[in-house]
Each structure stands twice: as C-alpha cells, then as structure tokens.
Amino acid sequence: MSVWDVLVGQAPVVETLSAAAAAAAGVSGAGGPAAARTGMTHSWLFTGPMGAGRSTAARAFAAALNCENIPPGCGRCTGCHTVLTDTAADLRTVRPEGLSLGVKDVRELVRDAASAPTSGRWRVLLVEDADRLTDQAANALLKALEEPAQRSVFLLCAPSVDDVLPTVRSRCRVVALRLPLPADVAAVLARGGVEEAVARLAAAASQGDLERARALATDEATRARRAEVLRIPTRLRRTGDCLGAAADLMNAANADADAANTIRDEAETEALKTALGVGATSSGSTAKRSRAAKAGVKGRAMTVRGATGALKELEKNQKSRGRRTVLDSLDRALVDLAGWYRDVLVLQLGAPVDAIHPDHHELAARLARGSTPEQTLRRLEAVLGYRRRLADNPGLVPLLTVEALTLALRAG
C-alpha cells in the first residue's frame, strides 16, 4: 500500500505530488542541478473544504519526500512509516489546538527549518490549519518562506487560498483538493469491513468527509447526535422550542468537548505540576521526612518560581482548546442541517439528484409539503450564514448565535 492510497478521489493531486516527490528524490545534495528540482519547491499550500483531506495529503507528500525507495511513496520503508506515524526526526507538525496559532510556535518552527535533516532527505515543517495563524505568526513564517533553507520544505494547510495572507500564499505552490464522491468514500468503508448499505448511507451523510463517514458507520453515539440535529427543524413551533433546541445543540457540543478533552487536560495539569515540583515539600530526604512525620512536624510546601504563571498559561491553552472543540462540533451539526434543508429543496423542486440524508426522507418530505422553496432557500442560507459567522468570529457567544439561528429558521 503506497502513501497515495489514502487520498480518496484525488487523482490529479496524486499525480502532482508524486511527480514533485520524484523530482525531489533526484537532488543528490546541496548545490545540485536546478533541473533536478523541476516540479519541486520549498513551500506548498494544501487547500480544500473540511473533509477533503488537506492534512492527509500533506503528510503523504512528506512521507514520499523522505521515502527510501524509487519511485518514492512506497508506504513500507522506515522513511515512510516514521512520517506517517509522526515519529520522524525530520518532521515537525504544528496543529493549533486552540482558536489560533501564535508567534511562539511559529518561531520554533522557523528555527527547526534552518537545521539540516538528520536522517531523511528533507526536513519537513507541516502546519495544519494555517488559516488560524495570527498576523504576527504569519509574518514570522513569511521570513522563512522568503529565505528557505536548502533541504527544508514547508507544507501549509488551509480551507482556501483566501484564508492565508497574500504575502504567504504568493510564495507557495497551491494544491487544491476536492471532496471525494460518495461512491469513492463508500468503497473505502466497504474495504474496511463496513456493511455495504451502511457504507453508502454514511458516505452520503458525511458529504465526502471520510473521517466523518467512518464515525457515522461505526459509532452509535455519532449517529444519534446527527439524528437529533436533523430533528431540530420539526421542533421549532414556538419561541421556547427554538431556545430549547439551541440549548440542546450547545449541550451536545459541550459534551463532545468534555469527552475529548477532560482526561487529557487533567493529565497535562498533573504532569506540569510534577515537572515544576508543585506540592512537594522542603523537609529533606526520605528519612528526614519520616522522622518529621513521626514527630508531628509538617513539611513546608515548596513554591517554584514561575509555577503559577505556567499553570495559568496551561489553563488558558486548555480553555482555548475546549472552545475550539465546541465550535468544531457545532460546525459539523450545521453542515448536517444545511444538507437536510438541501434535501427539502430538492424534493420541492423535483431535482433528479441523490439525497444527502436518505434515512430522514419522511421528515424532509413533510417539511417540503408544508413550506415553499423560497422559505427553504432562506433557511438554508441562514444556516450557512450563521456557520460563516461562527467560523469568522470565534469570539462570538455560541449559544446566542445558535439561538438566533433557530429563531431565524422558525421565521422562515
């Protein structure tokens, strides 16, 4: 299995990246012939909608660049394996877990880029969600892109070229990915052992997002949350119903964040406290502590200089990560809701296209009979509009935003 097999429905992208990796493999060292780098450049920007596999494509390319075989990208050698498992010494991955990616992380990345690779052909700097770079961080990255090291390559990922600064994108070669077709996603799920009917349903409902499709096909809780989201339009009879539906949506998003982050947050906090010696005592050796305890003498707690600030910084980062998880969960819910209104509009117009949520056909048909295409289009635009607001303004209060959306859906 080659590294390119994970790029579902991305034949043009595979062709571009495999050609670049082959060209890069021809560079024997610093000062090699310029012709050997035809098709290869020091900075790349992978774009595409959520679920298209931007990070997956970037990682596959990184593996091919450090592959030990020809043609590169075998997926079996040590170079490929270590990159794919994120254990390669010459790979640095930066993924913003909070609302933004700050200048501190980028400066560390730039310092790494100045070093020569230790074991592979290339030192690879992979930045996931480069659209979350702060202005300071983007400017720090820009200097490295303007003066690239000989054996380093930057791989940036963002939804579109417009989501990164013009000065950054102008120095990158753009690789545009698209969402794979539902048939391609269903085929991947079926090869993984998912029943064919379940695979087709999950592929359609995921709207091309392979990871989302896997979750829908294998996780009952994910399917239940999706079903609750798709029932929201049938609940909006009164103002109280709208506020209740919004509260339920927020509770589900908060539950997702707690499930994803609580154990990790506690482990990080305890690890930092241990590293800083917070809670340790200054009563000396084990023997002395034992004698002090027998004598009724209490140990004096040690305070490490800077410990309080470090713990506060960790807490701040954890809160930012939790908020990002909530926003991501809401975004998935709004994508499902937009797909449902699209199904309603398809029924009203009699368009000969497949449904995104075929298992909720009866609910969609009921709303299609009780409303006009104009109302459905306004509701669809409202869902997409509020989704953009949350994406563009992460400082918004999510509950108030979702309440405004449910009220707009009721008004039609």
Side-chain angles (χ1 to χ4, degrees):
M1 178 177 177
S2 78
V3 298
W4 312 117
D5 291 343
V6 296
L7 302 184
V8 181
Q10 308 287 351
V13 170
V14 170
E15 183 179 357
T16 297
L17 297 181
S18 58
V27 182
S28 58
R37 293 191 61 166
T38 301
M40 181 59 188
T41 185
H42 70 279
S43 53
W44 297 72
L45 176 60
F46 294 81
T47 66
M50 181 181 66
R54 301 184 300 261
S55 299
T56 301
R59 190 170 295 276
F61 184 43
L65 287 175
N66 283 310
C67 181
E68 299 169 358
N69 295 314
I70 299 296
C74 68
R76 300 181 303 274
C77 68
T78 300
C80 287
H81 178 73
T82 54
V83 170
L84 295 177
T85 56
D86 206 17
T87 58
D90 294 315
L91 171 68
R92 174 71 184 278
T93 303
V94 176
R95 56 175 65 88
E97 296 179 330
L99 299 177
S100 62
L101 182 59
V103 67
K104 179 180 177 181
D105 290 328
V106 171
R107 283 174 178 162
E108 293 177 359
L109 193 72
V110 170
R111 283 195 294 270
D112 281 352
S115 303
T118 58
S119 58
R121 292 193 181 98
W122 293 83
R123 181 170 291 275
V124 181
L125 301 311
L126 171 57
V127 182
E128 299 182 4
D129 298 318
D131 52 304
R132 298 185 196 173
L133 286 165
T134 64
D135 288 344
Q136 277 187 314
N139 288 329
L141 177 63
L142 181 60
K143 183 172 178 58
L145 298 182
E146 290 174 336
E147 302 173 2
Q150 177 68 22
R151 309 298 298 165
S152 295
V153 57
F154 282 89
L155 309 180
L156 313 181
C157 304
S160 73
V161 293
D162 294 330
D163 291 314
V164 296
L165 289 180
T167 49
V168 171
R169 66 175 183 251
S170 66
R171 289 162 175 79
C172 298
R173 182 174 176 183
V174 178
V175 177
L177 291 92
R178 62 177 180 84
L179 287 172
L181 297 175
D184 295 329
V185 175
V188 173
L189 295 179
R191 287 198 298 269
V194 177
E195 185 182 342
E196 187 175 345
V198 175
R200 286 198 304 269
L201 178 60
S206 71
Q207 302 182 54
D209 187 333
L210 181 57
E211 293 306 314
R212 174 70 169 165
R214 283 199 180 101
L216 289 171
T218 59
D219 184 44
E220 182 60 37
T222 300
R223 291 193 291 268
R225 284 195 292 272
R226 167 178 163 267
E228 286 299 317
V229 169
L230 298 183
R231 277 194 284 270
I232 286 177
T234 66
R235 298 172 51 187
L236 309 179
R237 297 182 179 85
R238 296 180 297 274
T239 299
D241 298 330
C242 298
L243 301 182
D248 290 344
L249 198 57
M250 281 304 308
N251 289 337
N254 288 325
D256 285 345
D258 289 340
N261 298 321
T262 299
I263 296 177
R264 181 181 179 183
D265 288 351
E266 292 174 353
E268 287 177 344
T269 301
E270 288 304 313
L272 182 59
K273 286 182 176 180
T274 300
L276 294 173
V278 175
T281 61
S282 60
S283 53
S285 67
T286 303
K288 289 182 179 180
R289 289 198 298 271
S290 177
R291 289 195 298 271
K294 291 179 180 178
V297 178
K298 296 182 179 180
R300 180 169 55 86
M302 296 176 61
T303 301
V304 179
R305 180 177 297 177
T308 301
L311 289 170
K312 285 184 177 180
E313 181 67 20
L314 176 62
E315 182 181 0
K316 177 183 175 182
N317 293 338
Q318 289 173 343
K319 286 182 178 179
S320 180
R321 182 169 64 204
R323 183 175 176 82
R324 183 74 262 165
T325 307
V326 169
L327 292 176
D328 288 344
S329 178
L330 285 177
D331 188 71
R332 286 192 296 270
L334 295 183
V335 169
D336 287 338
L337 200 56
W340 193 83
Y341 278 114
R342 177 264 195 192
D343 286 350
V344 174
L345 189 60
V346 164
L347 290 174
Q348 290 172 328
L349 299 177
V353 295
D354 295 331
I356 292 175
H357 303 290
D359 53 331
H360 286 73
H361 175 79
E362 291 302 322
L363 284 177
R366 189 189 315 166
L367 188 61
R369 291 190 296 268
S371 61
T372 66
E374 290 77 14
Q375 288 176 309
T376 303
L377 185 58
R378 284 197 296 271
R379 288 164 175 158
L380 175 57
E381 290 175 341
V383 174
L384 297 176
Y386 279 96
R387 183 188 176 216
R388 282 193 298 271
R389 291 186 192 182
L390 285 171
D392 296 340
N393 303 282
L396 293 175
V397 178
L399 178 58
L400 296 181
T401 305
V402 176
E403 286 177 346
L405 170 60
T406 54
L407 290 169
L409 295 179
R410 175 175 176 265

